[in-house]
Amino acid sequence: MKKITQWVIGACAAFALICTPVSMNAQSLSPSTKWHWEKGTIVIDTPERPAGQEHALGMKAPKLNVVRVGFVGLGMRGPGAVERFTYIPGVQIVALCDYEKERAEKCQDILRKASLPPAAIYSGAEGYKELCQREDIDLVYIAADWDHHFPIAKCALENGKHTAIEVPSAMNLEQCWELINLTEKTRKHCMILENCCYDWFEMNTLNMAQQGVFGEVIRAQGAYIHNLDDFWDYYWKNGKEDKLGWRLRYNMENRGDVYATHGLGPVAQALDIHRGDRMTTLVAMDTKSVHGKALVEKATGEKCDNFRNGDHTTTLIRTENGKVIEIQHDVMNPQPYNRLYQLTGTKGFANKYPVEGYALDSEQMAASGVQPKVDNLSTHSFLPKEEMEALVAKYQHPILKKYGEMAKEVGGHGGMDFIMDSRLVYCLQNGLPLDMDVYDLAEWCSLAELGAISMDNGCAAVAFPDFTRGHWNDVKGYKHAFATPEEEAASMKIAEEFTAKQKELGAKEWEKIAKKEAKAAKKAAKK
């Protein structure tokens, strides 16, 4: 199987071109947010749950033997997602949508290569609305730019579709609450496409943490540190007058950690956030803007005095159970790519960047089921290579055992994108709760507005709203859902049989199209 070819820029899951060229208006600060001071802390009000709604924690939806998908946003990230889905049994790619019709039509080549039937094409400023209104779509997969994640997702949910949104999936608290309310009302899933939760080190480390290898995890770090100097010009520009592109403009107009989810998602799972613990308070600080302002001045030829976001933002978070999380964001300065991912436990330590390693002493290694060959193991240094490999082998995550080898073949940020997509389809086909729910989406995306409020008020402490509205402690411990082996085998049999028929049908349809193309080419050659 050939690897998917795609332009990878680290784990930049939102690097997609726009699908609807309306005015740039998404902001980190939402006008509807209400807060008040309480003993020196800014308290964000939690709106009451509308009458008739119930929480969606652990929500299941009816099984879908076949998951019928429509893709919206086919610039940088979208085509890779379309290609990955061609490798997942039991998927029907129904529709493709991008503002530029040519980009949507180009993705037909992906279906042709996979011998899958052509999809319906939608384009223009409101093409996604037509797609969402189709009755033969179960899932809308959104890979547009940040300004349009929310309006497309809102449209999809309002039309009764499960929704999967690239990160950041909501740009402010107002959008977070609206997605929560729509999910609770429609009982349709709304998943944040946080691929970093499916990277190998993060998944294996999560399994270790859940099995008590590190004792009680009391502190965690995460980040998105990725110098984007080579990429700013590739972000979509709204006409000739737009010299910045949507992402640089967003950083200029907004303050806070506007891209927190790559760092926060994996550590939030390890700390059981809204599954026995919750984030209660944050304090945010940023440096002044030097590099960002310089980028704007270079692009526009004019002096920039209004660049809101600092070059480097740091957010400290404390949880209800007394844990601390540190999240960093820097897309400006010359640093090696870094997502930090670090867990500090009472009996051990895990670290991914810049060096992957675990620190356990001999006693804890043995207690974890791995007999060390080195007698004097100490947490003053990382485990030797042989001991680390033995630990990873023992605690390899079940999801990696199932999808890992194929993911390396298919690709997508080293395979973690494929694992993410496969798990999404798996849960829908088996009627299971998704790995990441709408409350994860809200909590991980809320750092932008909460951090901005903190920094705009002298780096004051800001209390998180309770996105679950009282249910954060109902579920004890983060877990991935699995079907029984019998149920899994039955759903996979149906999925594989469907895909085999799709490929038969697709091969015939593309053969007809090829004949028409050949005839048209021959006619054109004669002219």
Side-chain angles (χ1 to χ4, degrees), residues 264-321:
L264 182 55
V267 300
Q269 291 182 344
L271 292 176
D272 299 324
I273 296 302
H274 87 243
R275 298 165 178 90
D277 200 359
R278 63 179 291 260
M279 297 186 288
T280 55
T281 311
L282 69 70
V283 173
M285 295 185 183
D286 59 1
T287 68
K288 64 181 181 179
S289 172
V290 178
H291 200 84
K293 289 173 66 174
L295 287 170
V296 172
E297 291 174 353
K298 181 180 178 181
T300 63
E302 300 175 359
K303 185 173 178 58
C304 176
D305 292 319
N306 61 341
F307 203 99
R308 281 269 289 159
N309 220 6
D311 280 1
H312 194 115
T313 301
T314 301
T315 307
L316 285 174
I317 305 166
R318 200 170 198 274
T319 76
E320 183 73 27
N321 293 338

Side-chain angles (χ1 to χ4, degrees), residues 235-282:
Y235 294 101
W236 182 84
K237 294 181 174 66
N238 189 5
K240 294 181 179 179
E241 299 301 316
D242 183 2
K243 298 179 181 179
L244 300 183
W246 62 262
R247 189 164 185 175
L248 183 56
R249 175 177 284 100
Y250 198 91
N251 276 271
M252 181 181 72
E253 294 177 350
N254 295 277
R255 197 177 189 187
D257 191 332
V258 297
Y259 201 65
T261 69
H262 282 339
L264 182 55
V267 300
Q269 291 182 344
L271 292 176
D272 299 324
I273 296 302
H274 87 243
R275 298 165 178 90
D277 200 359
R278 63 179 291 260
M279 297 186 288
T280 55
T281 311
L282 69 70

